[in-house]
Amino acid sequence: MKMGKYNYSVTVPTFAKARELKLMHWQSLIFYSYLYGHTKKKKTNGLWINIPSTIFQKLYGKFYRKHLNDLLKRKWIEENSSYKNDKDGFTKSFRLSDQNYDKKHKKFSVLLQKRIYEKFVKTSKDKSDLSTEYTRLLKKRHDALFISNARSAASKALKTRLDLKIANITIGENRRAYSTIISYKKTPRKDVTYGDRGWLVNVDVSGMVQQLLNKKIQNPKWNEWIKNDFASCLQKAMRLKANRSTVKVLFMVAISDGEQSENSLKIRQLLKKDFPDIMDHVEGLKNFGTIQLVTQQMEANLIRSFILKNQQYNMIPAHDGLFCGEKDANCIEGALERFLKAEGMVGATKITYYNPKSRPLTLLEIFS
């Protein structure tokens, strides 16, 4: 894909010339490929294939007829105009023309805008799991997301799925809720609006894993590190030159059973020395699976519980936090902090404003 374009391969007759193909509408080429695919798949041996007009309208819009006429004029396809409008009726039917049915076909790339491709050729369908009340709630809320002004190729691709209500709500083995808004890169989120609640924001649980590990232990020093940004405290204690993101990864490696690096081993030794109670708890959790899986399951259960207990707020999961509209961010953050503290956690949270317009003004900005 390049500059929001998508190369879609269609099958065309070998006698078709490159110049002729360039003059044709992409809808005509795709329909021919669609008919060829059905002919080959169903092994019709040249018999008529019934295709209702509703299919054409979904694929090519209300002016689909001109694309069919173009193929008929070029004698690529044939149309059986017989049809019957009744309960036991049948639609019009089509087949590949006699002049090219028995001949070889070749692939031809048609350059389409990705959004047009996905909307009319229907490459994407909603695969949401609607088997539980929870997933049905998330699907309904996810359908409120939209983009009115897509300012990049990534935003256009996301806009397509949001316009078509493709939420893809699923629950993983780690019990996390996955969705279209989560699977996409962060960049296009700045263009997303959450219904009438304003720009999309993320209310995040700071140091979610660290808070969960200390939920039963209640080590005061560990909690102080969480309040002062755990990764930064660990970085300072270890005098690591690595950036904060790298330190977060090293921490997870250090408490896991996988292959260790030199720095992760040093972090593990420090944690065992300064926080033996936490590390003993970590070892106990490994009886239920890898530490990543177990903590993700704990995290997902916590987020799910918060959403179901606070259904007055319009929000959906963002793994270790929540997506909501800017107008609800402060209320949801306050409710989340209270909920976490009631669960025996520090309650540290933060709000990520994807769109600069959604960020509250500072006192300096207000006075100026």
Side-chain angles (χ1 to χ4, degrees):
M1 188 170 64
K2 186 178 181 182
M3 296 297 290
K5 302 289 185 180
Y6 189 95
N7 280 316
Y8 178 72
S9 294
V10 297
T11 305
V12 299
T14 52
F15 60 73
K17 305 298 183 183
R19 183 172 177 277
E20 178 184 19
L21 296 175
K22 288 181 180 179
L23 294 174
M24 293 178 68
H25 291 280
W26 62 265
Q27 292 96 328
S28 300
L29 294 172
I30 289 175
F31 172 68
Y32 180 85
S33 187
Y34 174 85
L35 185 62
Y36 171 79
H38 273 58
T39 302
K40 187 175 180 181
K41 181 179 178 182
K42 296 182 179 180
K43 299 180 180 179
T44 60
N45 295 319
L47 297 177
W48 298 104
I49 298 176
N50 290 93
I51 305 175
S53 60
T54 52
I55 295 294
F56 290 128
Q57 290 177 14
K58 280 185 178 181
L59 291 175
Y60 317 116
K62 61 182 179 180
F63 300 113
Y64 69 87
R65 187 70 226 184
K66 71 177 183 180
H67 307 304
L68 296 180
N69 290 339
D70 186 38
L71 293 171
L72 290 167
K73 182 180 178 181
R74 297 175 189 276
K75 296 183 179 180
W76 283 25
I77 66 171
E78 296 175 0
E79 178 182 22
N80 179 6
S81 56
S82 298
Y83 67 96
K84 180 181 178 182
N85 281 327
D86 208 339
K87 290 182 180 180
D88 61 344
F90 52 90
T91 63
K92 286 186 177 181
S93 53
F94 303 84
R95 69 183 179 188
L96 303 181
S97 65
D98 290 337
Q99 71 171 342
N100 65 49
Y101 171 65
D102 289 326
K103 295 185 179 181
K104 291 182 179 179
H105 291 68
K106 63 181 180 181
K107 295 287 185 180
F108 179 78
S109 293
V110 182
L111 195 63
L112 304 178
Q113 286 186 357
K114 186 174 177 65
R115 184 161 185 259
I116 293 175
Y117 170 76
E118 292 179 338
K119 186 171 182 179
F120 293 107
V121 189
K122 298 176 70 179
T123 59
S124 299
K125 293 181 180 179
D126 186 25
K127 299 176 183 177
S128 293
D129 171 12
L130 303 178
S131 61
T132 68
E133 180 183 353
Y134 181 55
T135 54
R136 288 193 294 271
L137 174 67
L138 300 187
K139 161 66 176 169
K140 181 180 178 182
R141 291 180 173 181
H142 194 286
D143 285 350
L145 301 176
F146 70 92
I147 294 177
S148 58
N149 181 23
R151 294 175 288 177
S152 66
S155 289
K156 288 177 181 177
L158 178 57
K159 177 177 171 60
T160 296
R161 284 164 172 76
L162 298 182
D163 287 351
L164 295 176
K165 308 300 182 187
I166 298 172
N168 286 342
I169 305 294
T170 56
I171 305 298
E173 180 190 0
N174 54 11
R175 299 177 193 165
R176 279 180 166 182
Y178 292 89
S179 63
T180 295
I181 193 64
I182 286 175
S183 63
Y184 263 78
K185 297 177 181 178
K186 290 184 179 180
T187 307
R189 291 178 190 168
K190 68 179 182 295
D191 294 332
V192 178
T193 302
Y194 196 138
D196 61 355
R197 307 314 297 162
W199 296 107
L200 183 74
V201 301
N202 181 6
V203 180
D204 184 50
V205 180
S206 302
M208 171 68 98
V209 172
Q210 288 82 9
Q211 290 200 52
L212 287 169
L213 292 179
N214 201 27
K215 186 177 175 181
K216 293 182 179 179
I217 309 300
Q218 295 297 313
N219 184 299
K221 182 180 177 181
W222 187 275
N223 279 343
E224 281 301 312
W225 276 28
I226 293 172
K227 292 175 183 177
N228 295 312
D229 184 43
F230 194 94
S232 297
C233 291
L234 183 58
Q235 183 183 35
K236 185 177 180 180
M238 294 292 302
R239 296 181 181 178
L240 293 171
K241 294 182 180 180
N243 59 39
R244 183 176 174 278
S245 297
T246 302
V247 173
K248 290 172 69 176
V249 173
L250 287 171
F251 169 81
M252 290 305 299
V253 174
I255 64 174
S256 304
D257 283 335
E259 186 177 347
Q260 301 289 319
S261 66
E262 182 180 350
N263 281 335
S264 67
L265 278 173
K266 289 180 180 178
I267 289 175
R268 176 183 280 191
Q269 290 168 0
L270 173 73
L271 295 176
K272 284 185 175 181
K273 175 177 174 291
D274 290 2
F275 306 101
D277 48 357
I278 297 288
M279 293 303 286
D280 286 344
H281 181 52
V282 167
E283 291 304 312
L285 291 176
K286 291 177 183 177
N287 292 325
F288 303 98
T290 65
I291 197 65
Q292 286 90 346
L293 176 64
V294 174
T295 54
Q296 284 177 5
Q297 289 176 339
M298 294 166 66
E299 160 199 294
N301 289 340
L302 199 74
I303 295 298
R304 181 180 184 275
S305 178
F306 176 72
I307 289 175
L308 293 178
K309 287 182 179 179
N310 294 273
Q311 293 193 39
Q312 71 274 26
Y313 296 121
N314 209 328
M315 53 188 169
I316 55 177
H319 290 337
D320 57 353
L322 302 144
F323 289 124
C324 65
E326 58 177 304
K327 296 177 183 178
D328 299 325
N330 290 326
C331 289
I332 289 176
E333 183 183 36
L336 181 59
E337 287 180 359
R338 293 190 295 272
F339 172 80
L340 294 174
K341 288 177 180 177
E343 291 288 319
M345 299 165 68
V346 173
T349 61
K350 65 180 179 180
I351 302 176
T352 300
Y353 295 93
Y354 298 114
N355 191 309
K357 295 179 183 177
S358 65
R359 179 181 58 80
L361 295 175
T362 63
L363 286 174
L364 182 62
E365 288 172 330
I366 292 172
F367 288 125
S368 63

